[in-house]
Amino acid sequence: MRKLILDCDPGHDDAFGIMLAAQNLDLLGVTTVGGNGYLENVTRNALVVLEKIGRTDVPVYPGHAGPSTTELITAPNVHGKSGLDGPVVSEPKRKPEKKHAVDFIVETVMSTDHVTLAATGPLTNIAAALNREPEIAKRVDGLYIMGGGAYAGNWTAAAEFNIYVDAEAAYKVFHSGMPIYMVGVNLTRQCPVNTEFIEKVRAIGNEAGTFGAELLDFFSHGGDAHLHDPCAVAWIIDPSIITEAYLHVDIELNGTLTRGMTVTDLRFLQTSVPEKDIDLSSTKRWDDPPVGSPFRGKEPNTHVAMRLDYPKFVDLVVNTLSKYN
Ligand code: RIB
Ligand code: CA
């Protein structure tokens, strides 16, 4: 089983990421970061989820409360005041660890081979860990993020929430040399939280299934929600669930309309917007300025998730939750 540290801001969809990771990977620890909710709430929520699935052996390390350069933006409109509204849950029996998330990430990666990182919240902790010990970029097997979008945002027309909340942290991460696997909203839009999905989860009939369905009942807001975070964890568990393109991505920091955008150079694909049948494996440049031109695209630096095998994803979620008591 691949060794994983999951940095997150639970968050209904983060909760599904935790449940997938705890069952299918060697989950070394969960670290928390301000994002969907305030640090205290998302940390409590991580403890709640792990207790719900009987995995109180997995330690939870609180990290940064928010970005170092801008005010924290939270998403109570999506996740409610607690960050995990919907299911009625009791306060967790366990306390989080005293050690800071960044210390846990750095110490673990520097002492353990083949650790994979996943981040399904703002990248504040990951950037802080890189600032403390740049070597971790070379040592990890990869960083799988739910964040950004190949050609769209959700928090703004251009930017996705996790990147927008701490764009400076994202810039640091994308310029660190760490191998990045980006699950953006262009991918997660292919992962609808519809009635059929929710009822399949509820029909599992155990505590995890009931808890998961109650989370989705709230998160779907009866409408058009998408299950973002577990798509990034699912990619680690079963790489066949996602088809990627290897592209150049950079983070916009100064755009009036585009701050927090993951600017993705689609010129590495053979048409401008990926139609259904485009060959995503092709690295033949399309209509790129000549070598030496200041406008020529930079070399690819990011594995960008482009297509989701949604039925396979749903099966993974249902099969995983079925394995809990
Ligand atoms: O934009 C979606 C992301 O923002 C998800 O990680 C969700 O949990 C929120 O953090
Ligand atoms: Ca999240």
Side-chain angles (χ1 to χ4, degrees):
M1 274 187 176
R2 287 180 71 168
K3 289 176 278 218
L4 180 78
I5 295 174
L6 174 57
D7 188 72
C8 54
D9 60 339
H12 295 66
D13 51 341
D14 302 78
F16 276 83
I18 292 171
M19 293 195 280
L20 284 187
Q23 182 66 236
N24 297 295
L25 298 166
D26 180 2
L27 184 56
L28 304 178
V30 171
T31 54
T32 55
V33 63
N36 283 324
Y38 297 110
L39 181 65
E40 189 190 342
N41 285 347
V42 298
T43 303
R44 167 225 180 241
N45 296 339
L47 290 165
V48 163
V49 175
L50 287 164
E51 201 160 295
K52 268 284 174 194
I53 59 174
R55 291 301 308 273
T56 52
D57 59 305
V58 177
V60 174
Y61 300 87
H64 285 287
S68 51
T69 54
T70 51
E71 276 298 298
L72 176 65
I73 300 169
T74 57
N77 55 317
V78 179
H79 300 275
K81 207 158 157 288
S82 73
L84 208 66
D85 281 16
V88 177
V89 294
S90 41
E91 284 310 297
K93 297 182 188 61
R94 237 186 350 151
K95 292 276 175 256
E97 306 301 314
K98 293 259 175 293
K99 183 177 285 192
H100 192 280
V102 172
D103 295 336
F104 171 69
I105 293 168
V106 171
E107 288 165 18
T108 306
V109 172
M110 294 310 286
S111 62
T112 314
D113 292 338
H114 296 302
V115 171
T116 298
L117 299 179
T120 62
L123 292 170
T124 312
N125 288 337
I126 308 298
L130 283 160
N131 281 329
R132 213 198 100 178
E133 180 47 82
E135 267 309 290
I136 65 170
K138 295 192 188 83
R139 284 191 52 80
V140 296
D141 277 6
L143 167 67
Y144 289 72
I145 71 167
M146 191 282 136
Y151 37 80
N154 61 356
W155 204 252
T156 73
E160 175 279 330
F161 177 79
N162 287 336
I163 306 297
Y164 186 82
V165 167
D166 196 342
E168 279 70 19
Y171 184 91
K172 168 78 191 167
V173 171
F174 275 76
H175 285 256
S176 69
M178 199 176 258
I180 298 175
Y181 295 77
M182 179 176 101
V183 171
V185 286
N186 62 291
L187 188 283
T188 62
R189 279 177 171 165
Q190 303 167 49
C191 190
V193 178
N194 54 32
T195 309
E196 189 189 344
F197 183 15
I198 297 174
E199 293 319 313
K200 272 187 182 170
V201 172
R202 200 185 320 274
I204 297 168
N206 62 4
E207 194 173 347
T210 306
F211 177 58
E214 288 170 354
L215 285 171
L216 295 179
D217 288 338
F218 180 88
F219 185 62
S220 62
H221 297 290
D224 58 353
H226 298 89
L227 206 56
H228 306 282
D229 296 333
C231 292
V233 178
W235 199 4
I236 304 167
I237 296 165
D238 177 358
S240 73
I241 267 184
I242 280 179
T243 307
E244 70 165 77
Y246 192 51
L247 303 169
H248 184 270
V249 178
D250 203 343
I251 310 297
E252 176 57 59
L253 297 177
N254 307 309
T256 311
L257 301 175
T258 54
R259 173 170 163 79
M261 179 176 182
T262 49
V263 180
T264 306
D265 193 340
L266 295 169
R267 290 176 297 178
F268 286 94
L269 298 173
Q270 292 189 356
T271 59
S272 56
V273 175
E275 285 86 16
K276 233 164 72 63
D277 56 354
I278 186 174
D279 171 9
L280 293 172
S281 60
S282 155
T283 51
K284 179 177 165 304
R285 287 170 185 261
W286 171 76
D287 200 18
D288 202 3
V291 175
S293 153
F295 302 103
R296 187 171 174 83
K298 296 195 178 84
E299 286 312 303
N301 62 354
T302 304
H303 303 271
V304 179
M306 300 297 270
R307 253 183 235 127
L308 174 70
D309 183 333
Y310 179 62
K312 202 178 236 189
F313 172 83
V314 172
D315 286 349
L316 175 65
V317 170
V318 173
N319 295 338
T320 298
L321 269 57
S322 306
K323 289 177 186 159
Y324 288 113
N325 299 325

